[in-house]
PDB file of all heavy atoms in Angstrom:
ATOM      1  N   ALA A 411      49.322 -51.875  37.774  1.00 92.00           N
ATOM      2  CA  ALA A 411      50.693 -52.236  37.523  1.00 92.00           C
ATOM      3  C   ALA A 411      51.669 -51.165  37.825  1.00 92.00           C
ATOM      4  O   ALA A 411      52.672 -51.320  38.395  1.00 92.00           O
ATOM      5  CB  ALA A 411      50.878 -52.714  36.074  1.00 92.00           C
ATOM      6  N   VAL A 412      51.278 -49.938  37.291  1.00 93.00           N
ATOM      7  CA  VAL A 412      52.257 -48.914  37.456  1.00 93.00           C
ATOM      8  C   VAL A 412      52.291 -48.376  38.986  1.00 93.00           C
ATOM      9  O   VAL A 412      53.407 -48.158  39.467  1.00 93.00           O
ATOM     10  CB  VAL A 412      51.683 -47.627  36.652  1.00 93.00           C
ATOM     11  CG1 VAL A 412      52.412 -46.289  37.005  1.00 93.00           C
ATOM     12  CG2 VAL A 412      51.814 -47.807  35.193  1.00 93.00           C
ATOM     13  N   ILE A 413      51.171 -48.467  39.695  1.00 92.00           N
ATOM     14  CA  ILE A 413      51.202 -48.160  41.119  1.00 92.00           C
ATOM     15  C   ILE A 413      52.038 -49.087  41.843  1.00 92.00           C
ATOM     16  O   ILE A 413      52.796 -48.780  42.712  1.00 92.00           O
ATOM     17  CB  ILE A 413      49.582 -48.210  41.728  1.00 92.00           C
ATOM     18  CG1 ILE A 413      48.842 -47.054  41.071  1.00 92.00           C
ATOM     19  CG2 ILE A 413      49.716 -48.111  43.187  1.00 92.00           C
ATOM     20  CD1 ILE A 413      47.419 -47.071  41.318  1.00 92.00           C
ATOM     21  N   ALA A 414      51.878 -50.447  41.586  1.00 90.00           N
ATOM     22  CA  ALA A 414      52.598 -51.466  42.261  1.00 90.00           C
ATOM     23  C   ALA A 414      54.119 -51.366  42.012  1.00 90.00           C
ATOM     24  O   ALA A 414      54.951 -51.419  42.971  1.00 90.00           O
ATOM     25  CB  ALA A 414      52.142 -52.880  41.852  1.00 90.00           C
ATOM     26  N   MET A 415      54.373 -51.030  40.749  1.00 90.00           N
ATOM     27  CA  MET A 415      55.864 -50.884  40.378  1.00 90.00           C
ATOM     28  C   MET A 415      56.535 -49.618  41.030  1.00 90.00           C
ATOM     29  O   MET A 415      57.639 -49.641  41.295  1.00 90.00           O
ATOM     30  CB  MET A 415      56.032 -50.935  38.930  1.00 90.00           C
ATOM     31  CG  MET A 415      55.569 -52.212  38.258  1.00 90.00           C
ATOM     32  SD  MET A 415      56.119 -53.726  39.116  1.00 90.00           S
ATOM     33  CE  MET A 415      54.857 -54.850  38.677  1.00 90.00           C
ATOM     34  N   VAL A 416      55.652 -48.628  41.134  1.00 90.00           N
ATOM     35  CA  VAL A 416      56.225 -47.368  41.761  1.00 90.00           C
ATOM     36  C   VAL A 416      56.680 -47.669  43.218  1.00 90.00           C
ATOM     37  O   VAL A 416      57.691 -47.326  43.656  1.00 90.00           O
ATOM     38  CB  VAL A 416      55.195 -46.230  41.663  1.00 90.00           C
ATOM     39  CG1 VAL A 416      55.543 -45.092  42.677  1.00 90.00           C
ATOM     40  CG2 VAL A 416      55.046 -45.638  40.194  1.00 90.00           C
ATOM     41  N   PHE A 417      55.699 -48.290  43.922  1.00 87.00           N
ATOM     42  CA  PHE A 417      56.070 -48.591  45.312  1.00 87.00           C
ATOM     43  C   PHE A 417      57.104 -49.619  45.398  1.00 87.00           C
ATOM     44  O   PHE A 417      57.915 -49.559  46.329  1.00 87.00           O
ATOM     45  CB  PHE A 417      54.769 -49.176  46.088  1.00 87.00           C
ATOM     46  CG  PHE A 417      53.723 -48.138  46.460  1.00 87.00           C
ATOM     47  CD1 PHE A 417      52.575 -47.901  45.761  1.00 87.00           C
ATOM     48  CD2 PHE A 417      54.054 -47.412  47.638  1.00 87.00           C
ATOM     49  CE1 PHE A 417      51.683 -47.000  46.256  1.00 87.00           C
ATOM     50  CE2 PHE A 417      53.198 -46.399  47.983  1.00 87.00           C
ATOM     51  CZ  PHE A 417      51.971 -46.240  47.410  1.00 87.00           C
ATOM     52  N   GLY A 418      57.269 -50.578  44.418  1.00 85.00           N
ATOM     53  CA  GLY A 418      58.466 -51.478  44.467  1.00 85.00           C
ATOM     54  C   GLY A 418      59.746 -50.816  44.144  1.00 85.00           C
ATOM     55  O   GLY A 418      60.761 -51.075  44.777  1.00 85.00           O
ATOM     56  N   GLY A 419      59.649 -49.837  43.198  1.00 84.00           N
ATOM     57  CA  GLY A 419      60.806 -49.073  42.831  1.00 84.00           C
ATOM     58  C   GLY A 419      61.437 -48.200  43.817  1.00 84.00           C
ATOM     59  O   GLY A 419      62.702 -48.100  44.008  1.00 84.00           O
ATOM     60  N   ILE A 420      60.542 -47.537  44.588  1.00 83.00           N
ATOM     61  CA  ILE A 420      60.980 -46.526  45.612  1.00 83.00           C
ATOM     62  C   ILE A 420      61.170 -47.261  47.031  1.00 83.00           C
ATOM     63  O   ILE A 420      61.480 -46.410  47.992  1.00 83.00           O
ATOM     64  CB  ILE A 420      59.980 -45.372  45.797  1.00 83.00           C
ATOM     65  CG1 ILE A 420      58.650 -45.861  46.306  1.00 83.00           C
ATOM     66  CG2 ILE A 420      59.722 -44.767  44.321  1.00 83.00           C
ATOM     67  CD1 ILE A 420      57.691 -44.705  46.667  1.00 83.00           C
ATOM     68  N   TYR A 421      61.062 -48.498  47.048  1.00 78.00           N
ATOM     69  CA  TYR A 421      61.285 -49.154  48.337  1.00 78.00           C
ATOM     70  C   TYR A 421      62.410 -48.805  49.200  1.00 78.00           C
ATOM     71  O   TYR A 421      62.335 -48.318  50.336  1.00 78.00           O
ATOM     72  CB  TYR A 421      61.169 -50.774  48.164  1.00 78.00           C
ATOM     73  CG  TYR A 421      61.539 -51.465  49.463  1.00 78.00           C
ATOM     74  CD1 TYR A 421      60.539 -51.715  50.487  1.00 78.00           C
ATOM     75  CD2 TYR A 421      62.712 -52.085  49.688  1.00 78.00           C
ATOM     76  CE1 TYR A 421      60.883 -52.290  51.501  1.00 78.00           C
ATOM     77  CE2 TYR A 421      63.146 -52.675  50.747  1.00 78.00           C
ATOM     78  CZ  TYR A 421      62.140 -52.820  51.778  1.00 78.00           C
ATOM     79  OH  TYR A 421      62.411 -53.507  52.992  1.00 78.00           O
ATOM     80  N   HIS A 422      63.586 -48.770  48.489  1.00 72.00           N
ATOM     81  CA  HIS A 422      64.857 -48.421  49.275  1.00 72.00           C
ATOM     82  C   HIS A 422      65.008 -47.004  49.670  1.00 72.00           C
ATOM     83  O   HIS A 422      65.791 -46.662  50.550  1.00 72.00           O
ATOM     84  CB  HIS A 422      66.039 -48.902  48.427  1.00 72.00           C
ATOM     85  CG  HIS A 422      66.335 -50.309  48.510  1.00 72.00           C
ATOM     86  ND1 HIS A 422      66.276 -51.163  49.558  1.00 72.00           N
ATOM     87  CD2 HIS A 422      66.558 -51.177  47.430  1.00 72.00           C
ATOM     88  CE1 HIS A 422      66.606 -52.383  49.285  1.00 72.00           C
ATOM     89  NE2 HIS A 422      66.679 -52.485  47.905  1.00 72.00           N
ATOM     90  N   TYR A 423      64.174 -46.183  48.967  1.00 73.00           N
ATOM     91  CA  TYR A 423      64.221 -44.716  49.305  1.00 73.00           C
ATOM     92  C   TYR A 423      63.388 -44.382  50.496  1.00 73.00           C
ATOM     93  O   TYR A 423      63.606 -43.490  51.132  1.00 73.00           O
ATOM     94  CB  TYR A 423      63.697 -43.920  48.063  1.00 73.00           C
ATOM     95  CG  TYR A 423      64.744 -43.991  46.938  1.00 73.00           C
ATOM     96  CD1 TYR A 423      64.442 -44.674  45.849  1.00 73.00           C
ATOM     97  CD2 TYR A 423      65.990 -43.233  46.924  1.00 73.00           C
ATOM     98  CE1 TYR A 423      65.347 -44.702  44.732  1.00 73.00           C
ATOM     99  CE2 TYR A 423      66.851 -43.229  45.839  1.00 73.00           C
ATOM    100  CZ  TYR A 423      66.629 -44.133  44.805  1.00 73.00           C
ATOM    101  OH  TYR A 423      67.431 -44.223  43.769  1.00 73.00           O
ATOM    102  N   THR A 424      62.476 -45.290  50.658  1.00 73.00           N
ATOM    103  CA  THR A 424      61.464 -45.092  51.829  1.00 73.00           C
ATOM    104  C   THR A 424      61.664 -46.039  52.983  1.00 73.00           C
ATOM    105  O   THR A 424      61.222 -45.705  54.124  1.00 73.00           O
ATOM    106  CB  THR A 424      59.957 -45.226  51.354  1.00 73.00           C
ATOM    107  OG1 THR A 424      59.807 -46.517  50.721  1.00 73.00           O
ATOM    108  CG2 THR A 424      59.706 -44.113  50.318  1.00 73.00           C
ATOM    109  N   ALA A 425      62.387 -47.183  52.730  1.00 63.00           N
ATOM    110  CA  ALA A 425      62.532 -48.085  53.821  1.00 63.00           C
ATOM    111  C   ALA A 425      63.317 -47.677  54.973  1.00 63.00           C
ATOM    112  O   ALA A 425      63.158 -48.155  56.140  1.00 63.00           O
ATOM    113  CB  ALA A 425      63.143 -49.406  53.257  1.00 63.00           C
ATOM    114  N   ILE A 426      64.266 -46.749  54.744  1.00 58.00           N
ATOM    115  CA  ILE A 426      65.104 -46.228  55.879  1.00 58.00           C
ATOM    116  C   ILE A 426      64.309 -45.342  56.825  1.00 58.00           C
ATOM    117  O   ILE A 426      64.828 -45.055  57.936  1.00 58.00           O
ATOM    118  CB  ILE A 426      66.372 -45.582  55.360  1.00 58.00           C
ATOM    119  CG1 ILE A 426      66.025 -44.463  54.434  1.00 58.00           C
ATOM    120  CG2 ILE A 426      67.225 -46.578  54.636  1.00 58.00           C
ATOM    121  CD1 ILE A 426      67.300 -43.726  53.964  1.00 58.00           C
ATOM    122  N   SER A 427      63.106 -44.907  56.379  1.00 57.00           N
ATOM    123  CA  SER A 427      62.358 -43.986  57.112  1.00 57.00           C
ATOM    124  C   SER A 427      60.986 -44.420  57.615  1.00 57.00           C
ATOM    125  O   SER A 427      60.390 -43.891  58.618  1.00 57.00           O
ATOM    126  CB  SER A 427      62.187 -42.541  56.373  1.00 57.00           C
ATOM    127  OG  SER A 427      61.458 -42.919  55.154  1.00 57.00           O
ATOM    128  N   THR A 428      60.487 -45.498  57.067  1.00 56.00           N
ATOM    129  CA  THR A 428      59.259 -46.158  57.453  1.00 56.00           C
ATOM    130  C   THR A 428      59.262 -47.704  57.273  1.00 56.00           C
ATOM    131  O   THR A 428      59.721 -48.181  56.256  1.00 56.00           O
ATOM    132  CB  THR A 428      58.095 -45.562  56.634  1.00 56.00           C
ATOM    133  OG1 THR A 428      56.884 -46.241  57.006  1.00 56.00           O
ATOM    134  CG2 THR A 428      58.379 -45.609  55.228  1.00 56.00           C
ATOM    135  N   GLN A 429      58.739 -48.345  58.320  1.00 64.00           N
ATOM    136  CA  GLN A 429      58.631 -49.850  58.191  1.00 64.00           C
ATOM    137  C   GLN A 429      57.571 -50.234  57.300  1.00 64.00           C
ATOM    138  O   GLN A 429      57.402 -51.457  56.984  1.00 64.00           O
ATOM    139  CB  GLN A 429      58.350 -50.387  59.679  1.00 64.00           C
ATOM    140  CG  GLN A 429      59.574 -50.165  60.520  1.00 64.00           C
ATOM    141  CD  GLN A 429      60.868 -50.875  60.120  1.00 64.00           C
ATOM    142  OE1 GLN A 429      60.738 -51.949  59.639  1.00 64.00           O
ATOM    143  NE2 GLN A 429      62.026 -50.185  60.230  1.00 64.00           N
TER     144      GLN A 429
END
Side-chain angles (χ1 to χ4, degrees):
V412 171
I413 294 171
M415 299 313 153
V416 166
F417 278 104
I420 65 172
Y421 170 77
H422 286 311
Y423 293 104
T424 55
I426 56 176
S427 59
T428 173
Q429 295 296 321

